[in-house]
Amino acid sequence: MTEFFVNPDFLLETAHKLLRILAILVGAAVVLKISRSLIARFFIPPQGVKTFYLEEKRARTLYALTANILRYIIYFIAAIMLLQECSIDTTSLIAGAGVIGLALGVGAQSLIKDFISGFFIILEDQYSVGDYIVSDNMAGTVEEIGFRSTKLRDANGVLHFIPNGAITRISNYTRGHMQAVVNIPVAYEADLNQVVALLEEACAAVGAAMPEVVSGPKVVGIVEFRSTDMLLRLVAETVPLKQGAVETAIRHKVATLFQSAGVVMPPALLIKS
């Protein structure tokens, strides 16, 4: 028995096997390190290097997810190679893993759909925490974004958990400037020049008083002739979610100026478009 272990052929084969095992471990570690570095460079590039826009929090989330998936793949491949080096048949193991994966995939289709949808929501930066969005019949402020679901709090304070896979259409009200639009009904017997002057005065006052106004307000002019009055329109560009407050301020200022000047007004003074 001792002669078998000291046999040069056995020792040489064992040394080769140990070297191959060591090479597999070192190779797996190197591939893992290089791949993590490449993924980090892709999602979190060095300062000054341009890439697609990603919020830092989202970029780091995607980086961690991708790195974990890749790590498990490398671990699995290395484990299979190590078992083969130990003369263990891995065919049944791979087949079993495929069957288990298929069963899990069939049984968790909705979960997988949620994760894939969540991945692309984060990747494409469709909305962020704090954004006001509308999804089908739900509207509210995003409180949290996960790979499986999105937490949305509505105006009544109710927190909704929406599976990402169920989100088919999103309207984001927080990206870019919004437009405040106010329509002013004016009686035909009113002095049009006086009305326009008062509207311009109201626009200047609201624009100077409200930091929420990005541009304007300004008088567009007459947009419609109706049976009892004519409709003048005022527009302003505002920061996101502040268009309602600006419209309210414009109406209040216009009503105050009209009353002070004695401008003839129809029964319904201000109608929102």
Side-chain angles (χ1 to χ4, degrees), residues 111-144:
L111 184 63
I112 294 173
K113 182 180 179 182
D114 292 342
F115 272 83
I116 293 175
S117 299
F119 178 87
F120 282 105
I121 287 173
I122 296 174
L123 178 65
E124 297 173 356
D125 194 27
Q126 296 177 12
Y127 51 85
S128 304
V129 173
D131 286 0
Y132 184 87
I133 65 172
V134 175
S135 175
D136 294 329
N137 61 341
M138 291 187 184
T141 303
V142 179
E143 288 205 349
E144 185 178 328

Side-chain angles (χ1 to χ4, degrees), residues 167-190:
I167 297 175
T168 56
R169 182 171 57 186
I170 287 290
S171 298
N172 194 327
Y173 285 75
T174 320
R175 300 294 174 86
H177 297 147
M178 304 298 291
Q179 191 173 53
V181 180
V182 177
N183 290 335
I184 312 294
V186 179
Y188 284 111
E189 53 267 31

Side-chain angles (χ1 to χ4, degrees), residues 182 184 195 197-210 217 234 245-261 263 265 269-270:
V182 177
I184 312 294
V195 168
L198 291 172
L199 293 179
E200 289 177 345
E201 182 181 347
C203 289
V206 172
M210 299 191 70
L234 284 68
V246 173
E247 289 173 357
T248 300
I250 292 174
R251 292 190 186 96
H252 182 270
K253 189 64 178 178
V254 169
T256 302
L257 291 175
F258 276 18
Q259 290 173 357
S260 299
V263 174
M265 299 175 291
L269 170 61
L270 301 175

Side-chain angles (χ1 to χ4, degrees), residues 23-66:
I24 291 172
L25 294 175
V26 173
V30 171
V31 171
L32 183 60
K33 185 174 182 179
I34 293 175
S35 61
R36 287 176 67 91
S37 177
L38 292 175
I39 294 172
R41 185 177 293 273
F42 181 75
F43 285 110
I44 312 173
Q47 190 173 7
V49 177
K50 292 185 177 180
T51 184
F52 60 85
Y53 170 76
L54 273 181
E55 182 185 9
E56 183 178 357
K57 183 179 179 181
R58 291 170 180 255
R60 294 190 180 280
T61 302
L62 285 172
Y63 162 71
L65 176 69
T66 309

Side-chain angles (χ1 to χ4, degrees), residues 6 36 62 85 89-90 99-100 111 116 134 161 164 213:
V6 297
R36 287 176 67 91
L62 285 172
E85 288 298 329
D89 185 16
T90 58
V99 173
I100 293 173
L111 184 63
I116 293 175
V134 175
F161 293 81
N164 291 328
V213 177

Side-chain angles (χ1 to χ4, degrees), residues 73-110:
I73 293 174
I74 293 174
Y75 283 170
F76 180 76
I77 295 175
I80 294 297
M81 295 176 67
L82 290 174
L83 290 175
Q84 289 178 341
E85 288 298 329
C86 297
S87 301
I88 298 176
D89 185 16
T90 58
T91 305
S92 58
L93 181 63
I94 296 174
V99 173
I100 293 173
L102 180 62
L104 290 175
V106 172
Q109 287 184 0
S110 61

